[in-house]
C-alpha cells in the first residue's frame, strides 16, 4: 500500500541514548514495518533532541505564586500559552492514530526521559480533563497505542512465578495509568528479552521477529483500520 | 529519644516543584516525625537541587564508542570513576537505614525527576549486580524503604473496582521492581488522597494523619529497630 495524506499516522517516541543499540535498531525496524503497513511514521527521538523531562514552572513563565502544575496546564491550554516545545509535541501526539513508545525497560518502567515526555506532553485540558474526560472520554479515545521495548532479564524471569514477576503486572501502570487513561486502546506489547546477550545471528533473527510482530500488532484485527493489511 | 552518631539514618528523596505544596508540607511533617522517632534525617530535594534525571553518556566521559549504560556503571564502580554527583547521592543512599521516596503521584508512577534519580543512582555494581545479587542478595538487603505520596484522585478511585484501579497494582513496579529489587523490605506506603480539594482544616488534619502514619510505619513491628518507639 502506498502512503498518502489520507494514510494513518504512527508517532514513535523513542528513548535510548545509543544510536547503535539494539533498542534503536528495533525502533528503526518497527518504523519500517509500519511504513510497509501503510502508515506515515513520525519519529521523536528524545535523546537526540535533548528532551528536558522535568515538568516545572519553567513551562509556565507567567506563574509567580504557588505553582500547581495541572491548574497551570489547564490555564495555558485555555489561553493558548503552552510552552512552544510542549505544544509542538502535543500537536504531533494529537495528530497520530497510533502511538508507539520505544525504550529499554529501566527499573521495570520507562526511562526518565520518556516518563518526563508523558509528564509534560499529556497535558491536562488538552489530552484529558477540562473539556475531555478520562479513559473513553479522553481526547485520544478510539486511537491505539503500544509499547516496544527491550529487557535485561529473560522471558522466564517475567513469567508468573519467575524471578522478577509477571510482565503484565509491571506494565499495568503504563497500560492502564498512562495509555488507557487518555483514551487509547492498548495493543499487545512487542518485547525483545535480553538482546545484550545475543549473538549477531540471534540479533538479526530478533529484529525479524520484531518486524513480524509489529506488522501483526499494527494490523490488530480488533482495529478500525484492519483494511491496512 | 535523642539522636546520636549511632542513630539510624532516614534518607528522604523529595520531588515536588513547589515548596508551598501539600506534598512538600507532607515531606516536612514526615521528616519531623522521623526525627521524633530517633532518626537522623537526610533530605534530598531534587527540584531545588535541579537534579538532571537523564541517564546518558555524560555520566561517563571516557566512553567513546557504543554506550552500554549498565556496563559503564559496572566499569565506573570498578575504577572508582563514577560521576561525582552520582557518587555523592549513592553514598547517601548506602548510608541510609530507611529510604523514603516523597512525591506527588504523576501518571500512576514517580515524577520523571525522581525516576531519573533511580535510573542514575541505583548503580549496577554498587547497589545490585556485580559483587551483589538481586533482591535478598542486593546491597540494600535488610534495610527498609517506603513511599510517601499524594494523589489527584480519591481513595475510592484506587480501590478494587474503582475508576482507576487498585493502588497496590499501580505501585507494583516501584515496590517490586525498584525497592525489593535492590534488597529493601518495603513498608506500607503513606498516602494522602486528593489534597488539592481540601480545606485548610482538612489539610491540617491530613498532615496530622501523616505524622501518625509515618511514626507507626517507621516503627513497623517487623522491623529490626522496633526499639525506636
Amino acid at each position: 500500500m502506498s502512503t498518502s495524506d489520507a494514510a494513518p499516522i504512527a508517532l514513535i517516541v523513542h528513548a535510548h541514548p545509543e544510536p547503535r543499540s539494539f533498542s534503536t535498531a528495533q525502533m528503526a525496524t518497527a518504523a519500517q514495518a509500519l511504513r510497509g503497513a501503510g502508515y506515515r511514521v513520525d519519529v521523536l527521538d528524545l535523546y537526540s533532541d535533548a528532551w528536558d523531562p522535568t515538568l516545572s514552572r519553567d513551562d509556565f513563565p507567567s506563574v509567580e505564586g504557588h505553582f500547581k502544575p495541572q491548574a497551570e496546564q489547564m490555564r495555558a491550554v485555555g489561553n493558548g500559552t503552552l510552552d512552544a516545545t510542549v505544544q509542538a509535541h502535543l500537536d504531533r501526539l494529537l495528530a497520530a492514530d497510533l502511538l508507539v513508545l520505544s525504550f529499554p525497560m529501566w527499573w521495570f518502567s520507562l526511562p526518565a526521559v520518556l516518563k518526563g515526555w508523558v509528564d509534560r506532553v499529556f497535558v491536562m485540558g488538552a489530552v484529558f480533563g477540562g473539556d475531555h474526560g478520562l479513559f473513553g472520554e479522553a481526547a485520544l479515545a478510539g486511537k491505539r497505542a503500544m509499547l516496544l521495548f527491550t529487557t535485561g532479564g529473560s522471558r522466564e524471569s517475567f513469567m508468573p512465578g519467575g524471578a522478577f514477576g509477571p510482565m503484565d503486572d509491571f506494565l499495568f501502570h503504563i497500560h492502564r495509568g498512562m495509555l488507557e487513561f487518555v483514551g487509547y486502546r492498548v495493543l499487545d506489547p512487542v518485547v525483545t528479552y535480553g538482546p545484550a546477550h545475543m549473538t549477531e545471528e540471534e540479533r538479526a533473527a530478533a529484529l525479524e521477529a520484531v518486524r513480524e510482530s509489529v506488522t501483526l500488532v499494527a494490523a490488530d484485527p480488533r482495529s478500525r483500520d484492519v483494511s491496512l493489511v
Side-chain angles (χ1 to χ4, degrees), chain A:
Chain A
M1 175 181 290
S2 65
T3 58
S4 72
D5 282 354
I9 297 173
L11 173 64
I12 303 178
V13 185
H14 179 62
H16 195 287
E18 173 54 58
R20 287 159 291 191
S21 63
F22 181 89
S23 174
T24 303
Q26 175 169 271
M27 180 275 288
T29 298
Q32 195 177 51
L34 290 169
R35 288 190 195 99
Y39 281 88
R40 280 191 293 155
V41 177
D42 181 13
V43 176
L44 251 170
D45 186 327
L46 297 177
Y47 271 94
S48 64
D49 290 356
W51 174 258
D52 176 357
T54 304
L55 173 59
S56 75
R57 63 171 65 227
D58 294 349
D59 277 352
F60 310 96
S62 70
V63 178
E64 293 181 357
H66 187 145
F67 171 49
K68 300 182 177 181
Q70 289 190 325
E72 291 306 325
Q73 288 183 331
M74 293 281 287
R75 189 204 314 263
V77 169
N79 294 346
T81 56
L82 275 177
D83 172 84
T85 303
V86 170
Q87 182 70 58
H89 284 233
L90 174 62
D91 290 344
R92 290 162 77 174
L93 174 68
L94 295 174
D97 302 287
L98 171 66
L99 173 68
V100 180
L101 300 183
S102 165
F103 57 97
M105 179 177 255
W106 285 356
W107 296 102
F108 303 89
S109 189
L110 307 175
V113 73
L114 182 52
K115 175 55 168 55
W117 186 79
V118 174
D119 286 349
R120 292 180 65 206
V121 178
F122 280 23
V123 173
M124 190 174 193
V127 174
F128 72 100
D131 293 340
H132 309 282
L134 311 178
F135 300 107
E137 281 77 47
L140 300 165
K143 299 187 172 194
R144 301 175 304 143
M146 62 178 282
L147 304 182
L148 172 70
F149 62 98
T150 58
T151 68
S154 66
R155 184 184 299 270
E156 290 67 34
S157 62
F158 284 99
M159 308 264 279
F164 296 165
M167 179 59 88
D168 283 352
D169 292 355
F170 286 115
L171 298 183
F172 182 72
H173 72 293
I174 309 173
H175 278 166
R176 176 70 180 167
M178 302 180 201
L179 300 177
E180 289 183 6
F181 191 87
V182 298
Y184 285 116
R185 188 158 65 71
V186 174
L187 305 181
D188 290 339
V190 174
V191 189
T192 302
Y193 291 91
H197 310 295
M198 289 180 180
T199 64
E200 279 304 308
E201 289 73 21
E202 289 168 336
R203 179 182 158 118
L207 289 176
E208 187 53 34
V210 165
R211 182 188 319 279
E212 292 172 12
S213 294
V214 169
T215 302
L216 271 173
V217 172
D220 175 61
R222 296 168 299 176
S223 155
R224 295 178 306 158
D225 44 23
V226 57
S227 63
L228 280 172
V229 171

